[in-house]
Amino acid sequence: MIILKNICKKINNKKILDNISLTINKGKIFCIMGHSGAGKTTLLNIISLLDNPTAGEYIFNNQNPYSDIVKFRRKITMVFQEPILFNTSVFENVAYGLKVRNYDKEEIRERVEYILEKVGMLEYINKKAKYLSGGEKQRVSIARALVIEPEVLVLDEPTANLDYSNTLIIEKIIKDFKDKDRSIIIATHNLFQVRRLADEVAHLYYGRLIEVGKTDDIFNNPKHNLTKKFINGEMFF
Amino acid sequence: MLIVEYIIKGFLEALDLIHHPYILDIACRSLKVSGSATILSLFFSVPISILIGLYEFKGKMIIKNLINTFAGIPTVIWGLILYLMYVPNGGILGKFDLLYNVKGIILGQALLITPLISSIIIDAIEKTEKIFRKLCYTLGANEFQTIKTILKESLPWILLSGIIGFNRAISELGIALTIGGNVYVPGASDFNTRVLTTAIQMHTVRAEFSTAIALGIILLTIILIVNFITNYIKKSIET
Ligand SMILES: Nc1ncnc2c1ncn2[C@@H]1O[C@H](COP(=O)(O)OP(=O)(O)O)[C@@H](O)[C@H]1O
Ligand SMILES: [Mg+2]
């Protein structure tokens, strides 16, 4: 379980995140929705221990994750919006997280093949990653995170650059990964995606958390005016 | 005789001359000298550039600017500086017998290409580190594993920097001429310092065009091959 208390992030004296308090439970898909520039990526980076808040408290399973950052990072894996792949084969890319955790060779091979099969990329296993299309790259970068079976999977706009069919493939992969012992956190500005995937939603607006709740409650009965506008598609940027 | 005729005649004779032992001897010396200079330079520029590329510290910007400035020093100025360093009575390296010696050219060319090589490696490391550090972290790599990955991803650039450095070394004239002195005594291979560029210069001013052209063809062929390898590596880096 992740608890954020009054998390703030300032860059060059500009408030990017302002007093974010959140609880993210296991077994759920948690969506952070908000317009572009709302601070979603910044928040995900902080949750993934890739960036430090300038103020506030982060509690991970009742512990302080900054006490042993490498150990806690290994429980949280983030998939970036732009798929970044190593200049190696698909296999080497997906195997990376297992190799740095010193898994033995056979288990690595087994798990990589299993996960590539799941994302429909097994036939590309020996291909150079740079020759893949955008959708294929995104699937590989998601497979590379899933293969680790992290306790927390963090996805930053996982389908923002993809066409509809690739979007559905990736949403299915995400749903299949849902498990009672895991949290999945997704940042997106796509309302339809939120409805299709999320159990819980947080609405981020210019670095402030406007509203948090169950997806049905938020969509059927938004309390805040700005959330109402956002889900009615009346917010344009 | 017309200039054009000179060139055509020179070119035809040059084709025969290319196999000549004199020409091959000079070409081999050029490859050895500039190859050694490149390897020597890589020995110190690789570790230093990796450290500069990976870490943030005070004065980093100044060092990078300094490196770029040094990369722009004309070879003839290098020749002058090195001469003053090598000169037996008074030079700080005077007692090492580097003047009119291939060892002196090797050291000189190594110094010449070090800023060039370093700036390529530093840029590459900084770029790869920006792209991959967070990725390595989130996939669970510790600091050591992260740096290992960054270096692995930069490896083609390090190779490339060596090749670009070699290209610069083998085509420079100022150092080879000032420090080497273009010495050539048939059979005295230990003392000879004549390399492709100094030989081309000398034969040209002596109006021995066919020899100059033969040497020129060899130098251009080497540069062509080097460029071919460069492009190949660049292509493999592209994503
Ligand atoms: N490194 C940075 N330096 C300065 N401003 C930044 C930096 N990173 C993000 N920002 C700013 O913070 C705000 C939130 O950015 P981001 O978290 O990327 O939003 P989102 O992912 O919701 O689009 C934006 O206004 C952005 O310009
Ligand atoms: Mg973003």
Side-chain angles (χ1 to χ4, degrees), chain B residues 126-141:
Chain B
E126 284 181 342
K127 242 184 249 155
T128 27
E129 109 110 50
K130 217 181 222 145
I131 299 172
F132 291 109
R133 186 183 281 277
K134 267 191 182 175
L135 177 63
C136 294
Y137 281 170
T138 203
L139 294 175

Side-chain angles (χ1 to χ4, degrees), chain B residues 18-33:
Chain B
I18 282 178
H19 317 283
H20 198 280
Y22 169 72
I23 305 268
L24 290 178
D25 179 44
I26 291 172
C28 283
R29 186 169 307 106
S30 253
L31 287 170
K32 267 189 229 156
V33 166

Side-chain angles (χ1 to χ4, degrees), chain B residues 77-88:
Chain B
I77 301 291
W78 271 111
L80 170 63
I81 297 168
L82 291 163
Y83 193 97
L84 295 174
M85 283 163 64
Y86 291 177
V87 74

Side-chain angles (χ1 to χ4, degrees), chain B:
Chain B
M1 216 169 16
L2 280 169
I3 290 279
V4 184
E5 284 175 69
Y6 259 125
I7 294 172
I8 292 169
K9 184 169 158 283
F11 200 83
L12 291 174
E13 282 176 16
L15 292 178
D16 281 336
L17 275 174
I18 282 178
H19 317 283
H20 198 280
Y22 169 72
I23 305 268
L24 290 178
D25 179 44
I26 291 172
C28 283
R29 186 169 307 106
S30 253
L31 287 170
K32 267 189 229 156
V33 166
S34 299
S36 308
T38 307
I39 291 165
L40 180 63
S41 170
L42 286 171
F43 260 107
F44 41 86
S45 38
V46 170
I48 293 171
S49 314
I50 287 173
L51 289 179
I52 297 174
L54 279 178
Y55 299 104
E56 290 300 323
F57 54 88
K58 241 172 91 182
K60 179 170 180 167
M61 218 40 223
I62 297 172
I63 291 185
K64 281 169 68 181
N65 281 331
L66 217 62
I67 289 174
N68 284 333
T69 310
F70 268 86
I73 296 179
T75 57
V76 62
I77 301 291
W78 271 111
L80 170 63
I81 297 168
L82 291 163
Y83 193 97
L84 295 174
M85 283 163 64
Y86 291 177
V87 74
N89 38 356
I92 47 167
L93 299 174
K95 56 172 181 281
F96 295 109
D97 188 25
L98 293 168
L99 202 54
Y100 305 125
N101 187 323
V102 284
K103 278 188 257 164
I105 310 179
I106 291 171
L107 181 60
Q109 289 187 345
L111 290 174
L112 166 75
I113 63 179
T114 292
L116 180 65
I117 290 180
S118 301
S119 66
I120 296 172
I121 299 178
I122 293 169
D123 275 359
I125 302 254
E126 284 181 342
K127 242 184 249 155
T128 27
E129 109 110 50
K130 217 181 222 145
I131 299 172
F132 291 109
R133 186 183 281 277
K134 267 191 182 175
L135 177 63
C136 294
Y137 281 170
T138 203
L139 294 175
N142 59 31
E143 197 60 33
F144 177 73
Q145 293 165 326
T146 301
I147 288 173
K148 219 173 90 184
T149 304
I150 292 169
L151 292 183
K152 213 175 130 200
E153 290 287 330
S154 318
L155 193 62
W157 288 100
I158 295 175
L159 272 178
L160 195 68
S161 75
I163 289 165
I164 291 171
F166 174 80
N167 212 358
R168 173 103 170 98
I170 202 164
S171 48
E172 75 83 28
L173 174 68
I175 294 170
L177 198 57
T178 316
I179 298 306
N182 194 31
V183 177
Y184 188 83
V185 181
S189 60
D190 284 354
F191 300 105
N192 291 341
T193 59
R194 185 168 298 173
V195 291
L196 285 168
T197 52
T198 59
I200 291 169
Q201 188 271 345
M202 183 196 77
H203 290 292
T204 306
V205 298
R206 283 190 190 170
E208 294 158 359
F209 295 124
S210 29
T211 312
I213 292 173
L215 291 159
I217 290 172
I218 292 185
L219 181 57
L220 285 177
T221 310
I222 293 170
I223 291 170
L224 218 69
I225 293 170
V226 168
N227 279 335
F228 185 79
I229 299 171
T230 309
N231 286 335
Y232 181 81
I233 295 176
K234 270 191 186 154
K235 228 175 158 182
S236 86
I237 300 172
E238 270 169 21
T239 41

Side-chain angles (χ1 to χ4, degrees), chain A:
Chain A
M1 190 167 75
I2 288 172
I3 299 171
L4 303 180
K5 284 186 188 163
N6 305 320
I7 292 285
C8 298
K9 178 74 182 178
K10 268 190 191 173
I11 301 177
N12 305 328
N13 254 331
K14 191 181 152 212
K15 270 189 186 167
I16 309 287
L17 293 175
D18 189 5
N19 255 324
I20 306 283
S21 295
L22 258 185
T23 300
I24 300 173
N25 290 304
K26 282 186 185 171
K28 300 262 163 60
I29 296 182
F30 190 99
C31 272
I32 297 166
M33 65 176 189
H35 63 274
S36 148
K40 302 182 294 295
T41 300
T42 310
L43 182 57
L44 293 190
N45 274 316
I46 288 172
I47 291 173
S48 307
L49 297 170
L50 300 173
D51 195 0
N52 297 317
T54 37
E57 205 181 339
Y58 183 173
I59 304 160
F60 188 96
N61 293 344
N62 295 319
Q63 294 166 78
N64 171 12
Y66 302 110
S67 62
D68 185 349
I69 198 137
V70 175
K71 179 183 131 193
F72 283 94
R73 265 194 203 128
R74 288 189 172 182
K75 299 173 189 290
I76 311 165
T77 308
M78 176 161 166
V79 179
F80 304 117
Q81 178 170 358
E82 296 287 337
I84 309 162
L85 298 179
F86 298 116
N87 200 354
T88 53
S89 67
V90 169
F91 174 83
E92 288 296 330
N93 264 280
V94 178
Y96 188 88
L98 302 176
K99 282 192 173 167
V100 297
R101 286 170 176 76
N102 298 316
Y103 282 70
D104 68 62
K105 269 195 162 147
E106 277 144 56
E107 185 167 7
I108 292 177
R109 168 69 52 183
E110 232 168 71
R111 286 175 73 156
V112 169
E113 283 177 0
Y114 172 79
I115 207 75
L116 282 176
E117 167 87 70
K118 278 213 109 170
V119 303
M121 290 293 293
L122 187 54
E123 59 185 303
Y124 296 88
I125 188 163
N126 292 317
K127 226 178 160 181
K128 278 254 180 195
K130 64 176 168 183
Y131 296 128
L132 302 177
S133 72
E136 291 164 350
K137 279 184 178 157
Q138 188 62 295
R139 274 191 262 168
V140 170
S141 71
I142 289 176
R144 186 174 57 188
L146 296 182
V147 78
I148 296 165
E149 299 187 353
E151 204 175 307
V152 181
L153 176 69
V154 178
L155 300 140
D156 194 3
E157 316 234 14
T159 61
N161 309 311
L162 302 180
D163 58 34
Y164 191 62
S165 70
N166 268 306
T167 299
L168 292 186
I169 292 170
I170 282 170
E171 287 184 357
K172 167 127 195 341
I173 295 166
I174 294 169
K175 270 191 254 172
D176 286 348
F177 190 69
K178 196 171 147 179
D179 183 284
K180 64 176 176 29
D181 295 321
R182 271 200 272 276
S183 324
I184 301 176
I185 304 169
I186 307 171
T188 179
H189 62 254
N190 181 336
L191 286 169
F192 301 103
Q193 184 157 61
V194 176
R195 292 200 95 143
R196 287 194 294 263
L197 291 178
D199 298 303
E200 285 172 27
V201 192
H203 180 203
L204 198 62
Y205 181 79
Y206 286 115
R208 282 179 302 131
L209 213 51
I210 298 291
E211 197 166 345
V212 189
K214 292 208 166 68
T215 308
D216 285 340
D217 294 345
I218 296 264
F219 275 87
N220 297 331
N221 193 10
K223 294 199 173 57
H224 201 289
N225 213 16
L226 286 166
T227 309
K228 222 174 274 177
K229 274 188 162 171
F230 189 78
I231 60 178
N232 287 331
E234 288 165 23
M235 232 182 235
F236 294 107
F237 294 91

